[in-house]
Amino acid sequence: MEDCEIENLLVPRFLKYVRYDTESDRRVEETPSTSGQWELAKALRDELLSIGIEDVKITDHCYVIARLPSSLRFEKAETCIGFLAHLDTACDVSGKDVKPQYVQNYSGDRIELAGGLCLDPAKEPDLAAQAGKAIIHCDGTTLLGADNKAGIAEIMAAVEYLAANPQIEHGQVEIIFTPDEETGKGLPFFPLDEIKSASCYTVDGGPMGEIESECFNAWKADIEFNGKVIHVGAARGILANAALMASTFAVLLPRSESPEATDGYYGYYCPMEISGSLETAALEVYLRDFDSDGMKRRIAALDAFAKAVEAQFPGGKVIVKTQPQYYNMKSGIDKKPDVMGRLKKAMDNLGISWQLKPVRGGTDGSRLTELGIPTPNIFTGGRNFHSRLEWVSVSEMCAACKVIIELIRICP
């Protein structure tokens, strides 16, 4: 596999995919939550058909499922390996009218972006290391969409490469593209009964070499505040201001356990949205912890904060409603050590140093693992996800594509 050949399969695809506006919307209950995801799903279906993959379908809820048939020697093999990436981009920053900037020979200098932003190699060692290599970044007005269109491009490039090189023998390969991963819905309509893979790999990670077999336990809290309203001119001793109750609750969330104050295996509370008036208000909080007991502590803390706010606002009422979003996939993957073993072997075969890291977030792999299909995560080469400073290394994208091909080759 020559880098230039892989790059030619990868880059045009990625530049095309990021121009699809697939930003998901966590406020919409339907799956998919936005129409742009349908557009990309249909384009991927047509592309798979054009490279000779006949077994392709899109479900009623926008899950794309395709299969690359096994080589003749492995036609009777019962095993099937899957690769998965998600169609949507995050709603944290706009994903509309993305203008990718393809820099084929990065100078190593600062890159000025719109709005006074810049990519500064002095602050990003990984960016400095790309000097003389190709990178793709956004222009500063939107995110880039490497999360997860880099993963889609890497899977699609690997599939086309294998279809064009039948001398590389392999077993059956399943390709899965999913909607609304960024909303944390946990694959509510995932067509498990149609999936043949005994194991799967999400291609949804960061820097080259990073592989992941564990993630956060994730819960969401919707907190309602009911105030006691009277004319503000006669409010003394009577008014319970719901908007102020919500603000007070948010301030009680410990700053030392926020996303911006934690890393590694430390969990957090993150207020996502606050709204309201004198009479009613609402606060949405994300809870993240690698440990299930730690999550119980966080949920209990929210109940304690609710009581503290009610005590400060006589007549006011706070209602805390919590629900799980996804669970740590570590225990499920640990039960099938050969799944990680194959991934490490594929990277060793390619001379790529691997490092195990926890996912400070979630992937569709967490839900798939819960459903009985162990699904660790592979790097994509992207950095600064969900931001206007997002960029991706082309050489690392090529490396991820090679890992996919090698995994397929060693897993009949």
Side-chain angles (χ1 to χ4, degrees):
M1 289 179 284
E2 296 295 330
D3 278 358
C4 60
E5 184 178 4
I6 297 296
E7 186 171 331
N8 288 338
L9 293 173
L10 266 173
V11 172
R13 280 192 164 89
F14 180 70
L15 295 176
K16 177 174 65 175
Y17 298 159
V18 297
R19 290 184 169 91
Y20 284 87
D21 179 9
T22 60
E23 181 181 335
S24 52
D25 188 342
R26 59 191 173 85
R27 299 175 186 83
V28 175
E29 291 301 319
E30 289 80 8
T31 301
S33 62
T34 53
S35 60
Q37 296 179 71
W38 277 114
E39 294 176 18
L40 180 55
K42 292 173 183 176
L44 291 169
R45 175 199 59 195
D46 295 345
E47 193 175 331
L48 285 161
L49 290 169
S50 73
I51 60 178
I53 310 302
E54 297 179 357
D55 187 358
V56 187
K57 71 172 295 184
I58 305 176
T59 73
D60 292 343
H61 291 281
C62 202
Y63 295 86
V64 181
I65 304 169
R67 293 181 190 89
L68 176 67
S70 60
S71 302
L72 183 62
R73 188 160 70 92
F74 296 112
E75 276 188 340
K76 295 182 179 180
E78 295 182 358
T79 57
C80 180
I81 184 173
F83 293 90
L84 183 151
H86 60 87
L87 300 163
D88 64 318
T89 59
C91 61
D92 306 320
V93 175
S94 174
K96 184 178 181 180
D97 297 325
V98 173
K99 300 176 182 64
Q101 310 294 302
Y102 178 29
V103 183
Q104 292 182 276
N105 185 12
Y106 171 49
S107 66
D109 298 328
R110 282 166 52 106
I111 301 173
E112 302 297 332
L113 304 175
L117 300 173
C118 78
L119 287 169
D120 189 350
K123 296 179 180 178
E124 290 195 58
D126 283 3
L127 179 60
Q130 301 302 315
K133 301 177 183 179
I135 63 170
I136 302 171
H137 61 85
C138 50
D139 69 347
T141 62
T142 67
L143 50 66
L144 176 62
D147 181 7
N148 190 216
K149 288 164 184 171
I152 294 176
E154 288 154 7
I155 293 170
M156 292 291 289
V159 169
E160 181 170 2
Y161 183 87
L162 289 168
N165 290 274
Q167 73 277 11
I168 302 174
E169 296 186 308
H170 57 81
Q172 189 176 52
V173 181
E174 202 157 46
I175 303 105
I176 307 165
F177 299 126
T178 61
D180 286 331
E181 188 265 2
E182 298 290 0
T183 65
K185 288 181 179 177
L187 303 183
F189 298 103
F190 188 76
L192 184 63
D193 57 340
E194 297 188 30
I195 301 302
K196 296 183 179 180
S197 298
S199 61
C200 197
Y201 297 87
T202 48
V203 188
D204 193 14
M208 184 169 72
E210 289 187 2
I211 53 178
E212 296 141 336
S213 61
E214 55 186 313
C215 64
F216 277 136
N217 293 296
W219 285 64
K220 183 181 78 160
D222 291 303
I223 306 162
E224 301 173 7
F225 302 85
N226 297 310
K228 184 179 178 183
V229 179
I230 193 170
H231 190 291
V232 292
R236 182 178 174 87
I238 302 174
L239 175 67
N241 185 333
L244 188 55
M245 289 169 67
S247 301
T248 302
F249 191 105
V251 171
L252 289 174
L253 299 173
R255 289 297 308 281
S256 61
E257 297 182 54
S258 63
E260 61 269 30
T262 55
D263 58 13
Y265 284 91
Y266 291 95
Y268 60 76
Y269 305 85
C270 183
M272 298 295 292
E273 186 171 310
I274 188 168
S275 62
S277 63
L278 287 176
E279 187 170 37
T280 61
L283 174 65
E284 182 182 20
V285 178
Y286 280 6
L287 310 175
R288 300 292 185 262
D289 205 295
F290 285 97
D291 182 72
S292 56
D293 288 338
M295 182 57 70
K296 291 176 183 177
R297 174 182 67 82
R298 295 183 189 281
I299 293 172
L302 294 187
D303 292 332
F305 298 155
K307 290 182 174 62
V309 171
E310 287 180 343
Q312 291 182 58
F313 295 85
K317 182 68 176 175
V318 182
I319 302 169
V320 179
K321 299 177 181 178
T322 58
Q323 64 181 57
Q325 294 176 302
Y326 54 83
Y327 297 100
N328 192 341
M329 59 190 177
K330 179 174 171 54
S331 61
I333 292 176
D334 284 350
K335 292 175 184 176
K336 301 282 184 67
D338 59 312
V339 177
M340 283 300 291
R342 285 196 300 266
L343 177 53
K344 293 172 183 177
K345 180 181 178 182
M347 295 176 71
D348 287 341
N349 289 353
L350 295 168
I352 299 173
S353 298
W354 50 266
Q355 308 92 39
L356 274 173
K357 288 194 68 178
V359 183
R360 286 187 60 80
T363 71
D364 283 332
S366 60
R367 179 60 175 146
L368 268 187
T369 300
E370 184 185 347
L371 293 172
I373 304 173
T375 309
N377 195 33
I378 301 172
F379 67 92
T380 63
R383 308 293 199 284
N384 302 335
F385 294 140
H386 298 198
S387 82
R388 300 177 195 275
L389 299 176
E390 190 178 2
W391 62 274
V392 64
S393 162
V394 173
S395 63
E396 293 184 13
M397 288 181 70
C398 291
C401 187
K402 289 180 177 181
V403 170
I404 295 168
I405 294 168
E406 183 65 11
L407 262 171
I408 293 168
R409 191 189 68 80
I410 65 176
C411 182

